[in-house]
Amino acid sequence: MLKTGKHLQKKRKFSDDFKMKVVQEYEYGQLSVRDLSKFYSISTKVIYSWIYKFSKYNKSGIQVVEMKNSQENKLKSQQKKIEELERALGQKQLYLDFLEKVIDLANEEYEIDIKKNFETLQSGGSKTTKKK
């Protein structure tokens, strides 16, 4: 402690491997710069300097803009879309099961084979046939 009442702050040194690990956590969207700052007790300014130095995508002179909760919002919207698609798929499957049941009942009750048999010849329709 100094005479003025301020604490001396120890200067910490970090290895390049650690710096690259922090940058990768940022790039992969695991944590935001603010979260990394809180987690490792490192200033955001230092983390941004590491990003500009070690990042594959963000270079000096390019401003890094980070939307608050952007990763979370994207994940939630994708999960919502998946749920909607699964629901639609389930409804289509129910409709398909219903149609198959109707075909089976028509076959049993009226002895009508609605399913197409690929080996049978198609009818000529309204054309008249020649007599032999």
Side-chain angles (χ1 to χ4, degrees), residues 68-129:
K68 185 177 181 181
N69 301 326
S70 63
Q71 293 293 332
E72 292 175 20
N73 290 338
K74 185 185 285 187
L75 182 62
K76 286 179 184 178
S77 68
Q78 288 175 345
Q79 287 174 339
K80 186 176 180 181
K81 188 171 184 174
I82 288 170
E83 289 172 1
E84 290 173 4
L85 291 172
E86 286 175 343
R87 188 176 311 112
L89 180 63
Q91 290 173 348
K92 292 294 182 185
Q93 185 61 44
L94 286 173
Y95 184 68
L96 181 63
D97 292 343
F98 169 75
L99 291 177
E100 287 179 359
K101 187 66 175 177
V102 168
I103 290 171
D104 291 341
L105 288 173
N107 191 16
E108 290 174 9
E109 293 290 322
Y110 303 109
E111 297 178 2
I112 300 173
D113 187 14
I114 297 176
K115 291 184 180 179
K116 296 285 182 187
N117 188 349
F118 293 109
E119 295 176 3
T120 59
L121 298 174
Q122 292 182 347
S123 65
S126 61
K127 294 181 185 176
T128 57
T129 56

Side-chain angles (χ1 to χ4, degrees), residues 36-96:
L36 288 167
S37 174
K38 289 178 184 176
F39 187 75
Y40 292 113
S41 298
I42 303 170
S43 75
T44 56
K45 186 176 180 179
V46 171
I47 293 174
Y48 276 115
S49 70
W50 294 350
I51 289 171
Y52 293 135
K53 184 175 181 181
F54 295 105
S55 176
K56 299 173 188 171
Y57 312 108
N58 303 300
K59 296 298 177 193
S60 184
I62 299 172
Q63 185 175 6
V64 177
V65 177
E66 191 176 319
M67 300 299 289
K68 185 177 181 181
N69 301 326
S70 63
Q71 293 293 332
E72 292 175 20
N73 290 338
K74 185 185 285 187
L75 182 62
K76 286 179 184 178
S77 68
Q78 288 175 345
Q79 287 174 339
K80 186 176 180 181
K81 188 171 184 174
I82 288 170
E83 289 172 1
E84 290 173 4
L85 291 172
E86 286 175 343
R87 188 176 311 112
L89 180 63
Q91 290 173 348
K92 292 294 182 185
Q93 185 61 44
L94 286 173
Y95 184 68
L96 181 63

Side-chain angles (χ1 to χ4, degrees), residues 13-26:
K13 291 192 176 193
F14 300 99
S15 69
D16 285 348
D17 291 335
F18 175 77
K19 294 175 185 178
M20 286 188 280
K21 177 184 171 261
V22 171
V23 170
Q24 283 180 345
E25 288 177 4
Y26 168 75

